[in-house]
Amino acid sequence: MIQIAIDGPGGAGKTTLSKGIAKKLGIVYVDTGAMYRTVGLYVRDHGYSYEDTSAVVSLLPEIHIEVRFEDGVQNIYLNGVNPGERIREPEISMYASGVSKIPEVRAFLLETQKDIARKNSVIMDGRDIGTVILPDADLKLFMTASPETRAKRRYLELIEKGQNVTFEQVMEEMVARDAQDAGREIAPAIPADDAIMYDNSGLTFEESLDALYAFIQEKLGDKLNNL
Ligand code: DC
């Protein structure tokens, strides 16, 4: 069994790179942000603000989140229904970040995340994976890229999905969300003491993936042969 922890701000390439690595290594890719997005979606759909902590906490007993791995892809079921791309709406990014500041929400998702890593070899992507969820991970990376690079990636991703946004909006929202995630009291999005910083600004996806794969092989060597 192997555990690779990937943390870092939005748009740093965590998701696409982690998925690529999971495929190459034949391990499970876990997107923990999708779980916070699912809680955020439920809160939005029920007409509450993510700032309304007591309302968010009172909704938790109604929320059942199940994570299934189907054809190597993580699918989340919210009370039995896969919300699909709805969790990717720009508005839901702020809801996810907002609800993730609430200790009860983090406690609610923690066991699900730890349990997946107990049962599978994983590359898990989030904000507190190296610090809280997998403190003994075999490898911890904190991925970054310049704010311009990250905002551009996010912008292109959203445009491709047909969302109606401007680059300026994406940049503004990203900076606000990063500040909120890194500045919160509980499990702030900061590197673990033993995390390796990995900046991929200026690299294409293929270049980053190749470099990262080589790096992981060098670091984990034999462990990868015994998966
Ligand atoms: O990775 P993402 O952009 O889908 O995450 C959405 C939000 O969820 C992010 O702004 C902060 C929160 N999050 C978190 O607090 N801890 C995690 N492990 C993953 C995400």
Side-chain angles (χ1 to χ4, degrees), residues 82-101:
N82 182 347
E85 285 298 305
R86 293 179 62 223
I87 60 169
R88 304 287 161 199
E89 287 171 26
E91 188 187 22
I92 298 304
S93 301
M94 269 327 260
Y95 271 82
S97 176
V99 299
S100 75
K101 287 188 295 186

Side-chain angles (χ1 to χ4, degrees), residues 7 10 14-15 31-34 36-37 88 93 96-97 100 106 113 125-129 133 154 177 181 184 187:
D7 290 300
K14 301 189 303 289
T15 303
D31 176 359
T32 60
Y36 287 95
R37 287 173 178 274
R88 304 287 161 199
S93 301
S97 176
S100 75
R106 303 203 74 82
Q113 296 171 5
D125 138 20
R127 301 292 189 290
D128 63 338
I129 309 307
I133 305 297
R154 226 339 106 79
R177 190 154 68 99
D181 292 343
R184 69 185 174 217

Side-chain angles (χ1 to χ4, degrees), residues 210-221:
D210 288 348
L212 186 60
Y213 185 56
F215 184 74
I216 289 175
Q217 280 190 314
E218 183 197 317
K219 287 279 168 198
L220 297 182

Side-chain angles (χ1 to χ4, degrees), residues 21-134:
I21 294 292
K23 207 168 181 188
K24 276 177 182 278
L25 294 179
I27 63 176
V28 169
Y29 164 66
V30 189
D31 176 359
T32 60
M35 301 177 203
Y36 287 95
R37 287 173 178 274
T38 304
V39 175
L41 178 71
Y42 192 85
V43 170
R44 200 268 318 259
D45 284 357
H46 285 74
Y48 292 104
S49 156
Y50 51 80
E51 300 288 358
D52 188 346
T53 303
S54 54
V56 174
V57 171
S58 73
L59 289 178
L60 292 178
E62 300 170 17
I63 303 178
H64 178 70
I65 290 183
E66 192 193 342
V67 182
R68 288 190 215 153
F69 296 93
E70 297 165 331
D71 297 328
V73 177
Q74 168 184 308
N75 284 315
I76 293 207
Y77 289 83
L78 168 60
N79 295 337
V81 179
N82 182 347
E85 285 298 305
R86 293 179 62 223
I87 60 169
R88 304 287 161 199
E89 287 171 26
E91 188 187 22
I92 298 304
S93 301
M94 269 327 260
Y95 271 82
S97 176
V99 299
S100 75
K101 287 188 295 186
I102 303 172
E104 287 85 345
V105 172
R106 303 203 74 82
F108 177 70
L109 297 175
L110 179 129
E111 202 37 49
T112 306
Q113 296 171 5
K114 288 194 172 214
D115 192 51
I116 296 170
R118 266 195 290 270
K119 295 180 179 150
N120 306 275
S121 280
V122 293
I123 180 163
M124 191 175 276
D125 138 20
R127 301 292 189 290
D128 63 338
I129 309 307
T131 50
V132 178
I133 305 297
L134 305 177

Side-chain angles (χ1 to χ4, degrees), residues 17 21 24 141 143 198-200 203-219:
L17 287 172
I21 294 292
K24 276 177 182 278
L141 294 175
M143 275 195 199
Y198 191 84
D199 188 320
N200 60 42
L203 296 184
T204 65
F205 169 68
E206 275 75 24
E207 287 166 345
S208 309
L209 184 62
D210 288 348
L212 186 60
Y213 185 56
F215 184 74
I216 289 175
Q217 280 190 314
E218 183 197 317
K219 287 279 168 198

